[in-house]
Amino acid sequence: MPVIKKKERVEPFIPTASMADIAFLLLIFFLVTTTIDVDTGIGMVLPPKLEEDVIPPPIKERNVLKILVNEQGQVLLEDLPSAVGLVRDQVKKHVLNNGVDPRYAEATDKALVSIKTARETPYDAYIQVLDEVWMAYFEMWDSEARQLGYANYRDYVAVVGQDNPIREKIKAAISIAEPDAA
Amino acid sequence: MAGHFKQKSKAKQDIPTASLPDIIFMLLIFFMVTTVLRETTVQVRTILPKAEALTKIDQKRLVTYLWIGPKKLPDNAIGETGVQIDDALVEDLSSVRSIMYRKLVEQPKLIVSLRVDGTSEMGILMDVQQELREAGTLRVNFSTKRDVVL
């Protein structure tokens, strides 16, 4: 009987000192496994499926800047061999030509850039060219935004929004060619 | 002055730690909620190319992934090019159409993130793009890493 009495005297007490440690352990696990980084990439909108009886509208040859990437990743720009680094300037010249040079586009809103690749072209080479073309548009938007008094295009978007006059004026018209047309 | 200081030093110095677990639990719950555990095992190798002209996809729930790259084989070997959607390899490319169409019905604003290995050839990507056009999933994103330009 005295044994039971002794037991009763022990205060029921759960040590909570290690509680924080357990929580820390879990916290560190979730800290390590969390990925907060957002996906980045080059956004494109594919052309809608062609209806069989609809003929695509005719486009003047001079309004299209043709870029061809071959199996070795070499670039042919308007039938002339070119380097990837030159694409950006050529695209800008083409889009901002406004009918001055007969080799480039008639007007900014009519300018098109067409990228064609062979089936064996490595994806790396294609992305490099596509990136250069997009950078040309980004730089044109940037300079437009600067003329309107913004630091860059991103600041302009933050104020005006994604559908804005700059995008209306300089549309990123990039055509990813139809494979059967190759 | 000295007496004044002595009086102050009598004050209790230990910081109450009773609320420490609560603070930690708050942090824990935050990370638990924001964590997305990788639910699929990627069966193809995708070393993404680098680019400068990037856009971010903020809305992760709109995104569905499509991997193209050489198949991973045991012993770090790589095989022929394969296409993977969700957690299975797509054997027949024409089934991309029906899979994507079903996803589009569930989520009309669907964005297909194409995670293509840099060494893959354009031919297979063209075929996949044609399938996506057939399905009507026109918003795509060529997933690339940020190219650090100094």
Side-chain angles (χ1 to χ4, degrees):
Chain A
M1 284 307 121
V3 182
I4 290 164
K5 224 174 188 181
K6 218 178 188 177
K7 260 192 179 172
E8 273 175 347
R9 262 182 223 150
V10 178
E11 271 182 60
F13 175 73
I14 305 155
T16 52
S18 58
M19 193 73 130
D21 299 343
I22 296 162
F24 257 124
L25 223 71
L26 282 164
L27 173 65
I28 286 158
F29 170 73
F30 281 99
L31 260 168
V32 169
T33 54
T34 297
T35 48
I36 292 187
D37 60 335
V38 280
D39 261 351
T40 52
I42 301 171
M44 293 286 288
V45 178
L46 297 175
K49 191 177 129 192
L50 284 176
E51 301 294 327
E52 272 176 30
D53 48 347
V54 177
I55 303 151
I59 300 159
K60 266 194 189 167
E61 190 79 352
R62 69 177 284 195
N63 287 333
V64 186
L65 185 81
K66 280 178 289 183
I67 303 170
L68 246 141
V69 190
N70 78 352
E71 292 87 337
Q72 277 82 43
Q74 291 159 329
V75 180
L76 201 66
L77 214 150
E78 288 283 322
D79 301 326
L80 289 168
S82 177
V84 177
L86 297 174
V87 169
R88 200 182 295 192
D89 273 349
Q90 287 292 316
V91 170
K92 276 199 243 175
K93 260 190 205 165
H94 174 72
V95 175
L96 302 175
N97 184 47
N98 282 320
V100 178
D101 192 325
R103 288 175 297 167
Y104 298 117
E106 285 177 315
T108 302
D109 59 332
K110 283 182 184 170
L112 268 170
V113 179
S114 151
I115 303 171
K116 259 187 205 177
T117 59
R119 283 193 73 87
E120 291 80 27
T121 303
Y123 180 67
D124 264 335
Y126 169 69
I127 285 295
Q128 266 185 19
V129 173
L130 187 65
D131 188 30
E132 284 296 314
V133 174
W134 270 108
M135 276 314 285
Y137 279 106
F138 274 43
E139 283 175 11
M140 284 187 280
W141 293 336
D142 261 351
S143 68
E144 284 287 323
R146 240 171 270 134
Q147 276 173 25
L148 294 169
Y150 295 91
N152 52 39
Y153 180 67
R154 201 182 304 157
D155 288 6
Y156 175 79
V157 168
V159 177
V160 185
Q162 280 293 344
D163 297 314
N164 53 54
I166 291 181
R167 282 298 276 265
E168 200 61 39
K169 190 179 164 196
I170 307 173
K171 280 188 193 121
I174 303 170
S175 138
I176 324 173
E178 301 273 316
D180 50 350
Chain B
M1 271 317 239
H4 189 68
F5 273 118
K6 224 171 190 178
Q7 221 177 11
K8 253 201 170 170
S9 69
K10 266 181 196 166
K12 236 185 174 183
Q13 273 188 352
D14 34 304
I15 305 154
T17 54
S19 57
L20 195 60
D22 301 341
I23 296 161
I24 304 303
F25 266 119
M26 282 267 277
L27 281 167
L28 174 65
I29 286 158
F30 169 74
F31 280 99
M32 276 178 76
V33 169
T34 54
T35 294
V36 181
L37 289 173
R38 172 172 283 184
E39 66 271 54
T40 51
T41 46
V42 184
Q43 295 171 48
V44 295
R45 187 200 70 176
T46 48
I47 299 170
L48 299 175
K50 287 179 178 171
E52 275 181 81
L54 299 177
T55 45
K56 285 178 187 165
I57 314 175
D58 298 323
Q59 295 143 300
K60 265 195 172 164
R61 58 194 178 82
L62 301 182
V63 179
T64 185
Y65 294 99
L66 194 152
W67 290 269
I68 301 172
K71 283 174 193 165
K72 283 181 194 161
L73 300 176
D75 301 327
N76 283 330
I78 48 170
E80 56 182 292
T81 306
V83 178
Q84 184 183 344
I85 300 173
D86 292 339
D87 52 0
L89 285 169
V90 179
E91 298 299 336
D92 185 14
L93 271 186
S94 56
S95 58
V96 171
R97 188 180 310 184
S98 49
I99 296 169
M100 283 303 165
Y101 183 74
R102 241 177 287 137
K103 283 176 182 280
L104 187 70
V105 172
E106 276 173 35
Q107 174 56 264
K109 287 180 176 176
L110 191 78
I111 303 169
V112 182
S113 178
L114 297 164
R115 320 202 105 201
V116 185
D117 188 79
T119 60
S120 292
E121 292 180 350
M122 284 300 292
I124 192 155
L125 180 66
M126 284 176 183
D127 295 342
V128 169
Q129 279 180 358
Q130 291 310 307
E131 288 297 317
L132 293 179
R133 283 175 69 186
E134 291 285 340
T137 47
L138 300 178
R139 288 177 77 187
V140 295
N141 188 288
F142 297 106
S143 196
T144 48
K145 284 199 181 128
R146 184 172 295 282
D147 193 5
V148 182
V149 182
L150 296 172

